[in-house]
Amino acid sequence: AIAFSNHSTTAASVTNAAFIDGKAALNVATNNVTKVADKAALLAAVSAYPVSSDGDRFVEDVTGINDGYPILAREVQIHENVKDYACGRRVCLDCNKILTKASEEKHTYREEATAPDGYVDGVITATCTACGAMETKAGTASVHRPTVKDGAYEIATVDHLKWYQQNLEAGRLNGRESLVLVEDIDCKNETLVPIGSAERPFGGKLDGALHTISNYTINASADGGLFGKLTMGASITKLMLSGVTVEAEGAAGALFGTVATGAIAKIEWVAVANSTVTSRTSAAGAIGGTTNTASEIALSQCVASKATVSGKYAGGLIGNGNATSMKNCYVDATVEGTTSDGSLAYYVSGFHQENCGYVRNAATNRTDGRQISKDGFASGEAAYLINAYSNQRIFGCENGVVGFGNPTYRVCYGEEAVYTSLLLSDTGDLEVYTDGKTVAIVVKRESGPRLTDGAIKLTAGGKTVEVKLGDLTLTRRVTLNGKTVTVADESALYILSLGDVSAYEIGSLKGSAVRYQ
């Protein structure tokens, strides 16, 4: 941001400013503050500003003292001791600045190829025979390099994760890439190096596509997590992490260690389960460790289940949560802060939550949002609340763990509420089966529309449960007593995880349930 304040204020304002990345300002008034697309647009915007009282103004950086961004007229340098090369490059011998534009230079290059080194791709280095200018381009790829589809690297194996981390650290990548998971990845207790370091942070996009990365260990001498450091523009969505162990000297989280100073990052639909996160000297959270000065991180639809978090500063989801915004997030974690801690996050200022909740597992200093019971969380209440608030059906709950799967619904028996996972599938006359845990309703149809109107009424334990068909999602298979039932397109299979059912009623069709053997 151009300007940032931890608190709302009317005493500060910004007038006549332009920027390329990020937000205009936070909690600061603005006047004629514009977001532009590139350096050229930036120059056009600031060149129009009034000349100062001493005659100064913004001009083009023709000599590269500000990496091509606009400079003040008084900063324009005059270079007298220059050298011209045969390739057209002109260099100031006093300050080593290149005075010509790339479009004016005609280099003759000599190329050298470097073979791949393990996970790191090979590279071709081109050196100008006149001035020595160097350029690099992609060479022979490592055998571990993932395929690219629609502009995103398809991550399917732990080797793909290692490839990305090592090529980012080697400078083959810039950290702004798009990644998409195409498979669940079981790391089988391998120790991974965090993706993104202080020198080369990650500011790209990771689409987990509702997949899970599980069973990895991080032991970092700096900030630790699947990602070590996130920077401006980082976005991670629809990812589940399970069975993770992170220990770090710096900030620690199952997903990330820290967010760079001044950066803005977004995390949504991320679940962490059965994981242990420890920071030896800094902040720790089940999802992330800490935000830094003037950084902003937004978490929405995020959850941690059965997590243990410990550090100097500790929080259920974020360790040090200053300048953190949480929306629709829930956590069941044991939190142990040696200095300070919080159920959702420990923070001093700038923390905001909306529709968030926690299971209080310790006498934490900060308790924000609603408190729910451990039994309620384990039954699926947190998963239901997240789904209902977001108006999406993504999270389910099984054995106390919230993750991607059959979405959790709230079923009412009078004033009582039960949270249960419901699933709808495709298969073909009315048959109802149960294995004591799951109910499968098979509606055989030769043609015509699916049964999306009306409701299913099921009698279980002497109580009748009514579930609207339009609220459910279709799939094509169910497993009962270890046997998988797959159905055809023209039929419909409705599945309800509710236990033994003795009778059913769908519209005018009634009958008794058959126990599936």
Side-chain angles (χ1 to χ4, degrees), residues 118-141:
Y119 288 90
V120 179
D121 289 346
V123 66
I124 297 173
T125 303
T127 306
C128 177
T129 56
C131 70
M134 296 178 64
E135 290 184 358
T136 60
K137 58 183 178 180
T140 304

Side-chain angles (χ1 to χ4, degrees), residues 36-382:
V36 297
D38 50 32
K39 291 180 183 179
L42 185 67
L43 176 64
V46 301
S47 297
Y49 296 159
V51 177
S52 68
S53 58
D54 59 0
D56 224 340
R57 58 192 175 84
F58 286 108
V59 297
E60 184 179 1
D61 176 28
V62 295
T63 55
I65 65 172
N66 193 29
D67 195 28
Y69 289 95
I71 59 175
L72 293 172
R74 58 183 164 82
E75 296 177 303
V76 175
Q77 296 180 359
I78 298 175
H79 303 276
E80 296 179 347
N81 187 15
V82 299
K83 180 175 180 178
D84 292 308
Y85 292 91
C87 58
R89 172 164 289 188
R90 171 173 283 194
V91 178
C92 176
L93 298 180
D94 293 329
C95 65
N96 293 319
K97 291 291 183 182
I98 299 172
L99 307 180
T100 47
K101 296 180 180 180
S103 59
E104 300 171 352
E105 301 169 358
K106 295 180 173 57
H107 301 280
T108 301
Y109 288 109
R110 181 183 65 254
E111 294 188 348
E112 257 182 58
T114 302
D117 180 12
Y119 288 90
V120 179
D121 289 346
V123 66
I124 297 173
T125 303
T127 306
C128 177
T129 56
C131 70
M134 296 178 64
E135 290 184 358
T136 60
K137 58 183 178 180
T140 304
S142 162
V143 295
H144 302 294
R145 180 185 178 95
T147 58
V148 178
K149 184 177 180 180
D150 298 328
Y153 290 97
E154 295 189 323
I155 307 298
T157 68
V158 68
D159 285 331
H160 289 161
L161 293 173
K162 292 179 179 179
W163 172 88
Y164 185 81
Q165 184 275 324
Q166 292 191 28
N167 279 274
L168 174 58
E169 206 58 34
R172 302 289 193 268
L173 302 170
N174 63 20
R176 301 286 181 179
E177 293 77 19
S178 293
L179 316 175
V180 59
L181 261 63
V182 293
E183 298 283 351
D184 291 341
I185 300 176
D186 185 348
C187 300
K188 299 181 179 178
N189 299 317
E190 283 201 47
T191 298
L192 302 181
V193 176
I195 297 170
S197 62
E199 295 75 20
R200 296 187 179 277
F202 178 77
K205 294 177 172 55
L206 170 62
D207 179 3
L210 303 182
H211 287 294
T212 300
I213 302 176
S214 60
N215 304 319
Y216 61 83
T217 297
I218 300 285
N219 195 339
S221 58
D223 301 318
L226 181 65
F227 295 89
K229 191 165 192 174
L230 301 178
T231 190
M232 179 66 75
S235 173
I236 301 169
T237 184
K238 294 183 179 176
L239 174 67
M240 184 164 182
L241 305 174
S242 179
V244 176
T245 300
V246 176
E247 289 192 19
E249 198 67 26
L255 181 63
F256 70 89
T258 188
V259 180
T261 299
I264 300 172
K266 181 175 71 174
I267 313 292
E268 58 182 0
W269 291 109
V270 170
V272 174
N274 297 316
S275 298
T276 300
V277 176
T278 304
S279 169
R280 292 185 280 269
T281 64
S282 186
I287 286 181
T290 188
T291 57
N292 279 304
T293 305
S295 62
E296 297 177 51
I297 183 166
L299 275 73
S300 58
Q301 289 75 247
C302 291
V303 64
S305 314
K306 295 185 177 180
T308 299
V309 178
S310 59
K312 184 177 180 180
Y313 307 101
L317 294 177
I318 300 293
N320 185 356
N322 292 309
T324 296
S325 171
M326 287 188 192
K327 181 183 292 186
N328 205 25
C329 298
Y330 285 79
V331 58
D332 176 15
T334 300
V335 179
E336 299 174 356
T338 58
T339 299
S340 295
D341 50 31
S343 293
L344 291 170
Y346 165 72
Y347 60 92
V348 176
S349 63
F351 176 82
H352 174 75
Q353 68 81 22
E354 180 181 336
N355 189 48
C356 295
Y358 60 91
V359 175
R360 190 169 188 181
N361 291 320
T364 47
N365 294 322
R366 301 282 190 179
T367 52
D368 298 89
R370 74 173 79 190
Q371 183 175 341
I372 62 178
S373 70
K374 197 169 188 67
D375 289 343
F377 188 102
S379 72
E381 182 178 1

